[in-house]
Amino acid sequence: MSTFVSVLAYGLADGAILALAALGFVLIYKATSVINFAQGEFLLVGAYMFYTAFVVMGLPLLVAVVVGVVVATLIGVLVERLILRPMIGESAISIIMVTIGLSSLLRALVQMFYGTNPRSMPAILPRGSVDILGATVPLNRLLVILVAAVVLTAFTLFFRKSRHGIAMRAVADDQQAAMTQGISVRRIFAMSWALAGVSALIAGVLLADISTVDQNIAAFGLLVFPVVILGGLDSVPGTIVGGMIMGLLIQATGTYWEAGLATVVPYIVLVLILLVKPYGLFGETRIERV
Amino acid sequence: MAMTATGVHHRSYTSELKLRATRAEYVRLALMGVLLVVLPFVLDNYWMSIANTILIAVIGAVGLNILVGYTGQISLGQGGFLAVGAYTSVILSDRMGMPTPLAIAFAVIMTAVVGTFFGLPGLRLKGLYLAIATLASQQIIEFLIRRDIGDFLTGGLGYINVERFGFLGFQVGGRDVFERQWYVILAILAVLSVMAARNLFRTGLGRSFMAVRDQDIAAEAIGVNLTRAKLTAFAVSSGFVGLAGALTAHYSEVVSWEKFTLQVSITYLAMIIVGGLGSIAGSVYGAIFITLLPVVIRNVANAFESAVPFLSNQLPAVQNAIFGLVIILFLIIEPRGLNRLWERIKEYFRFWPFRY
């Protein structure tokens, strides 16, 4: 029972971070139909930016968060403006490849300035632990779930209620129709990249807080693909459900079966979903069967 | 679009099917041939080893371009397929005592079979979904090799030492002749692969690949069997990749999983992007460019070590950054790669002094 509870806590914490990372991915895909292979590197850059502001420059936590958010927004907008906008209308392979090039560039830049050694960061979330049903669960994992839940709810409300959110959904649905309604598609594109940058920053900082600040954060980003395929490539609720399922699955495999298998199980699930239900649990089925 | 030079009139189907129509093209081909023959006499061992790496990369890049550039099926699984070729060949030749050339042939077939299996999702999925499916195949193959259940592949060592390459009494020699003898073997195989690929696209099968890429539904309407075309594309392409993998293993004389990671898949994709998608010549240019890039950066960094110590201190990061930058810049500025650049240069001189 206690093992089960800790699998639940650890799995949900991982899943919450995965959901946040996947949220950025889905936002970009939904609005601009770009598959962003650099999502993991966004997490990495976000974590290092926050590290720089919080540890290197010694800013207070709240200011550091604001600085991080501003930088993440800027990076997102710049990437969209400089790299993705010239690629509009190119084939899927070119767009995928340009984001792969971007991921290589971002990772190399981080490595150039910060080296490959892991950095330690003073704890942001409290380090204590709580007893739940006989299991000792670290408090920070629980808070990760809480923070992610708050952020994901905020994003969902933003899409449902705010003018910009509704405009983003309109663009995602039909770019031309949105344009005729007077929505600036360009601004929406930039906004999706900025929001993706911010959600990746939050995910990166949370991940750095429960582990360390190092290059492995980028590797974690590859797990976004199983999550979004499970949840459906263009569904925001799908990322939450997909992230949670994937997080639990990874933890459960690692605990009950074997630690090594946990790295490959997500991809096996990914292939199975693609073969059986390619549009995932909540994805929109655009039938394009050949 | 391919243009015909002035003064070339086709009077028969045979002449229209010819790969080369003008004298200039034959001259360039002859120059290439001369260059290939002269290289081993002018290069030292270090540069010969780079030439050999390039030749293997050419075979792999041609294979990948058949799939991605000509058939439009994105594959991030190149590294995994190279591994299948390498391990099959080594296990058959070194552990089961099969003659090496035969083992390499089996490796080609084995990789074609595995490639076709992982191509199955391609029957239902297109574009980005397929890219993600092949990403998964890369991760799964890599995992199987790393874990090596029952120590079947590497006997628990994590790597296999490969015996020196040889067949029918011939054996590749020691340090002084090693690179040159390999160069001859690899150059012959690379030239044969390029010719095979070049000719493939004059056959009905090759044309059906291109039809699938350009408009799959229209292709089906004119009678192309989509299932067969896609799966054969995966098989043919993986066959080339398997050959490249087997050669990597025998040439470098050690096999381990680190040589077949996702990074390798990405490097090969970069080759065909930089060289030119859907162009055999482009695969060759791209293989040369991407293989030489880190070498050139390293030499430049060493040359300026005293002036800019940053470059050589951060060499791997600088190499990766430039690698990423090159991909991005090519895609934005010249998405059709070096091959298109070369064509533009030729056209400029052909039309000179006019602009068009």
Side-chain angles (χ1 to χ4, degrees):
Chain A
M1 188 63 196
S2 63
T3 332
F4 178 73
V5 174
S6 73
V7 164
L8 210 61
Y10 279 83
L12 287 179
D14 282 2
I17 298 174
L18 274 174
L20 272 174
L23 175 72
F25 181 93
V26 167
L27 279 180
I28 293 172
Y29 178 69
K30 234 176 123 99
T32 67
S33 20
V34 166
I35 288 277
N36 183 17
F37 270 82
Q39 189 66 21
E41 279 69 19
F42 273 43
L43 262 68
L44 179 72
V45 172
Y48 271 96
M49 287 305 127
F50 180 77
Y51 170 81
T52 315
F54 188 53
V55 180
V56 180
M57 295 162 69
L59 298 173
L61 181 63
L62 266 179
V63 184
V65 169
V66 173
V67 169
V69 167
V70 170
V71 174
T73 314
L74 270 179
I75 293 176
V77 172
L78 269 182
V79 163
E80 194 274 336
R81 184 70 194 85
L82 293 179
I83 298 179
L84 271 306
R85 196 172 295 173
M87 299 297 294
I88 287 174
E90 295 283 343
S91 63
I93 164 85
S94 301
I95 292 175
I96 287 175
M97 206 54 208
V98 92
T99 62
I100 289 178
L102 176 68
S103 76
S104 181
L105 180 63
L106 287 179
R107 207 177 327 136
L109 286 176
V110 167
Q111 195 186 329
M112 255 185 237
F113 289 109
Y114 299 93
T116 45
N117 294 332
R119 307 286 182 113
S120 61
M121 196 162 63
I124 308 169
L125 303 171
R127 279 290 133 103
S129 56
V130 274
D131 285 330
I132 304 171
L133 297 169
T136 321
V137 180
L139 193 58
N140 59 358
R141 304 265 165 175
L142 294 179
L143 286 171
V144 162
I145 304 173
L146 190 70
V147 172
V150 170
V151 175
L152 287 167
T153 319
F155 269 101
T156 316
L157 282 178
F158 172 76
F159 295 125
R160 289 272 160 77
K161 309 283 181 199
S162 82
R163 277 169 57 88
H164 291 298
I166 293 167
M168 283 181 79
R169 278 162 57 209
V171 170
D173 195 45
D174 188 335
Q175 284 182 14
Q176 283 199 334
M179 234 187 259
T180 55
Q181 297 291 320
I183 295 170
S184 163
V185 173
R186 282 184 175 188
R187 197 184 301 161
I188 297 295
F189 277 20
M191 213 160 80
S192 338
W193 278 90
L195 285 179
V198 171
S199 73
L201 166 87
I202 301 169
V205 172
L206 290 179
L207 191 60
D209 195 49
I210 57 175
S211 56
T212 51
V213 187
D214 64 4
Q215 298 264 329
N216 284 331
I217 293 177
F220 187 81
L222 267 189
L223 284 173
V224 162
F225 291 102
V227 170
V228 294
I229 290 292
L230 177 62
L233 260 180
D234 48 9
S235 157
V236 174
T239 62
I240 302 172
V241 178
M244 294 301 172
I245 294 178
M246 229 15 116
L248 285 174
L249 190 68
I250 293 169
Q251 280 298 335
T253 324
T255 311
Y256 292 114
W257 205 350
E258 212 192 301
L261 273 174
T263 57
V264 79
V265 160
Y267 296 99
I268 295 173
V269 173
L270 163 60
V271 172
L272 292 178
I273 298 164
L274 280 178
L275 286 173
V276 179
K277 202 170 181 309
Y279 299 97
L281 298 175
F282 300 97
E284 192 182 336
T285 38
R286 287 199 193 98
I287 301 287
E288 207 179 358
R289 202 161 285 171
V290 270
Chain B
M1 193 56 228
M3 262 178 288
T4 353
T6 331
V8 176
H9 307 291
H10 294 301
R11 291 205 178 78
S12 63
Y13 287 126
T14 354
S15 94
E16 202 174 358
L17 275 174
K18 271 209 299 202
L19 276 174
R20 290 172 187 80
T22 63
R23 194 175 293 158
E25 286 169 34
Y26 280 106
V27 171
R28 279 201 295 270
L29 191 67
L31 280 178
M32 278 284 294
V34 171
L35 185 70
L36 270 179
V37 174
V38 167
L39 272 184
F41 296 104
V42 291
L43 298 181
D44 58 10
N45 265 342
Y46 169 69
W47 285 101
M48 278 313 282
S49 69
I50 291 165
N52 286 337
T53 320
I54 290 177
L55 288 171
I56 296 176
V58 163
I59 301 174
V62 164
L64 186 64
N65 215 340
I66 291 175
L67 189 63
V68 180
Y70 282 96
T71 323
Q73 313 274 58
I74 307 170
S75 170
L76 284 164
Q78 180 88 354
F81 298 149
L82 283 167
V84 174
Y87 278 93
T88 312
S89 176
V90 167
I91 286 171
L92 285 179
S93 64
D94 281 25
R95 215 171 285 168
M96 309 203 173
M98 195 181 268
T100 314
L102 199 62
I104 294 180
F106 267 103
V108 170
I109 296 168
M110 181 69 184
T111 318
V113 171
V114 174
T116 315
F117 174 75
F118 279 107
L120 284 174
L123 298 180
R124 287 188 63 184
L125 308 165
K126 287 211 294 203
L128 34 104
Y129 282 95
L130 185 59
I132 297 175
T134 51
L135 170 75
S137 79
Q138 163 75 37
Q139 300 283 1
I140 292 169
I141 294 179
E142 203 182 307
F143 172 81
L144 290 177
I145 296 170
R146 272 171 87 162
R147 272 304 303 281
D148 193 7
I149 295 152
D151 295 333
F152 166 72
L153 295 172
T154 62
L157 289 172
Y159 63 92
I160 312 180
N161 278 320
V162 186
E163 282 167 31
R164 186 137 295 184
F165 182 75
F167 58 94
L168 299 175
F170 166 78
Q171 180 98 26
V172 172
R175 237 190 123 252
D176 45 335
V177 286
F178 180 81
E179 300 291 350
R180 282 179 175 73
Q181 288 183 338
W182 264 110
Y183 177 82
V184 176
I185 301 169
L186 293 176
I188 292 171
L189 287 173
V191 167
L192 286 178
S193 309
V194 169
M195 276 166 55
R198 190 76 182 78
N199 281 296
L200 173 68
F201 294 99
R202 297 199 295 174
T203 64
L205 180 68
R207 297 218 179 271
S208 72
F209 290 176
M210 291 192 274
V212 171
R213 170 194 64 190
D214 291 340
Q215 238 311 336
D216 48 1
I217 294 167
E220 194 162 36
I222 57 170
V224 171
N225 184 338
L226 274 194
T227 313
R228 208 167 63 190
K230 282 186 174 179
L231 289 185
T232 4
F234 264 100
V236 172
S237 154
S238 313
F240 280 89
V241 179
L243 177 62
L247 290 173
T248 316
H250 290 287
Y251 168 68
S252 56
E253 303 194 328
V254 65
V255 208
S256 72
W257 67 267
E258 284 108 340
K259 284 188 180 159
F260 308 108
T261 55
L262 181 63
Q263 192 56 42
V264 176
S265 308
I266 291 171
T267 311
Y268 270 93
L269 274 174
M271 286 179 197
I272 62 172
I273 294 273
V274 166
L277 284 173
S279 141
I280 298 294
S283 324
V284 180
Y285 305 149
I288 298 173
F289 187 94
I290 293 290
T291 318
L292 280 181
L293 188 66
V295 179
V296 171
I297 297 170
R298 187 167 63 226
N299 287 341
V300 170
N302 288 341
F304 292 96
E305 197 169 359
S306 49
V308 201
F310 178 77
L311 277 183
S312 48
N313 294 341
Q314 295 290 342
L315 188 62
V318 172
Q319 283 170 331
N320 283 335
I322 296 182
F323 174 76
L325 207 59
V326 161
I327 299 176
I328 296 173
L329 288 180
F330 259 98
L331 281 165
I332 292 175
I333 298 166
E334 183 49 274
R336 287 158 74 193
L338 287 168
N339 185 51
R340 179 73 195 132
L341 275 181
W342 169 233
E343 276 172 15
R344 286 225 302 249
I345 294 169
K346 279 193 296 188
E347 273 166 25
Y348 176 82
F349 284 107
R350 190 182 301 154
F351 297 137
W352 195 83
F354 305 110
R355 293 284 299 282
Y356 52 88

